Amino acid sequence: MPDALQSLHDLPGVADAVTQAREACTALRWHNALRRRIPEVAAESRVRGARWTAALDGADYPVDIVRDVMRGALDLPDASAPMEQTLRGAVQVTAETESVAGVVRMSPAQALARLHTAAAAQWLDLDAVARPRRPGESAAELQVLGTAPDAEEAAARMRAVVDLIAGSTSAPGLLVGAIAHAEIATARPFVAGNGLVARALERSLITATGLDPTGSVVVEAGHGVRGVADYQGALAAYSTGTTDGVRLWLIHCAEAVVAGAGEAQRICDSVLAGRLGVRAD
């Protein structure tokens, strides 16, 4: 494990939280639904992940609507409305994680470009898609974290995320995903779509590192279940750069994985019982 991640792993409470998250994911793998029906479970996980990642950006739709949008059974009536743009981006970027998980560790820069294209191509000018901000460009998202860093710093931090992912082959997937998520969300390297990309990147890494190899954990639900304020507060703590702030964020992410594994268990139960889509929560 790289020294920087080892030092984070050694912070009070973090190692125990990482262990609890790993145990929750291990217990999930024994569910009978994951013996023969992984595609159904993973597909529904992406539906619920899209629902929660949209909600964390202010577009809170019932999961039944998100499911219909994701399977192409429902067209959103006003594609230019901000909430519908956010939902469409959430659906597309979460769907993209299925294939990005296969390349994110080998080609993290390519993975980030693909995720940003999925998240934002439908509302940004094409020239602003799949690239970091240029000098003079700003990002108006996540204002609760304060003003976004300038373009040069944001791009440098994104490159550091790429290096972290490529060089952390032996580190716990939870730590890699948590730091990558927080760095993209707080640095805001893109003109728009940073939150969606950050959460999709974490999902992809949780799968790619083997923490959740079936792609079933709804980590976005774990981030959102206690409300947007709790999620943004944890990111704000991280953005302070203090040891306690980073520790709080890492524990938050571990708890999000545990909660997301619980949501996956409920999906598995519904798949086996033939009730998938009946409970819209």
Side-chain angles (χ1 to χ4, degrees), residues 5 10-11 48 69 93 112 128 139 142 162-163 170 177 196 200 226 231 238 257-258 262 264 275 279:
L5 288 180
D10 293 341
L11 292 175
R48 299 192 192 190
V69 171
V93 77
L112 275 165
L142 290 165
V162 168
D163 292 341
S170 62
L196 296 177
R226 289 188 294 195
Y231 168 71
Y238 177 90
V257 169
V258 172
R275 295 185 289 106
R279 185 181 175 212

Side-chain angles (χ1 to χ4, degrees), residues 4-277:
L5 288 180
Q6 183 65 62
S7 66
L8 296 180
H9 186 265
D10 293 341
L11 292 175
V14 171
D16 287 344
V18 169
T19 297
Q20 289 169 12
R22 183 177 65 249
E23 289 175 347
C25 292
T26 299
L28 172 65
R29 290 180 215 171
W30 289 98
H31 199 290
N32 285 337
L34 294 180
R35 294 185 178 182
R36 296 185 179 180
R37 302 179 71 174
I38 289 175
E40 292 173 69
V41 174
E44 180 64 13
S45 174
R46 291 190 293 274
V47 167
R48 299 192 192 190
R51 184 259 167 181
W52 279 104
T53 198
L56 286 165
D57 270 12
D60 194 354
Y61 286 83
V63 71
D64 291 340
I65 289 178
V66 179
R67 186 182 296 110
D68 283 347
V69 171
M70 209 158 192
R71 65 190 179 94
L74 176 67
D75 288 325
L76 297 173
D78 185 359
S80 64
M83 285 184 60
E84 295 186 359
Q85 287 180 338
T86 298
L87 177 58
R88 177 65 67 185
V91 164
Q92 292 179 345
V93 77
T94 309
E96 184 69 6
T97 61
E98 182 181 13
S99 57
V100 162
V103 302
V104 66
R105 300 193 80 181
M106 296 179 293
S107 303
Q110 177 191 357
L112 275 165
R114 287 172 57 176
L115 291 174
H116 190 246
T117 299
Q122 71 274 11
W123 81 76
L124 281 183
D125 292 338
L126 289 180
D127 180 57
V129 173
R131 65 159 176 83
R133 288 185 279 124
R134 293 171 180 156
E137 292 180 331
S138 60
E141 301 168 325
L142 290 165
Q143 289 297 305
V144 69
L145 305 179
T147 303
D150 64 32
E152 291 86 349
E153 179 184 341
R157 287 173 64 178
M158 188 172 79
R159 290 193 295 271
V161 168
V162 168
D163 292 341
L164 171 74
I165 294 169
S168 301
T169 56
S170 62
L174 188 141
L175 292 184
V176 178
I179 296 300
H181 178 163
E183 281 295 302
I184 297 300
T186 58
R188 287 159 281 179
F190 302 109
V191 173
N194 294 284
L196 296 177
V197 170
R199 293 184 290 274
L201 179 61
E202 181 185 32
R203 170 182 274 266
S204 300
L205 286 167
I206 286 172
T207 299
T209 58
L211 179 60
D212 170 38
T214 64
S216 304
V217 171
V218 192
V219 65
E220 303 90 344
H223 287 303
V225 69
R226 289 188 294 195
V228 176
D230 184 85
Y231 168 71
Q232 292 183 344
L235 275 176
Y238 177 90
S239 70
T240 66
T242 64
T243 298
D244 281 346
V246 173
R247 183 180 67 85
L248 187 152
W249 169 253
L250 295 176
I251 292 173
H252 166 89
C253 288
E255 292 173 347
V257 169
V258 172
E263 182 71 359
Q265 291 273 4
R266 290 186 285 276
I267 293 171
C268 289
D269 291 342
S270 294
V271 165
L272 289 184
R275 295 185 289 106
L276 195 59

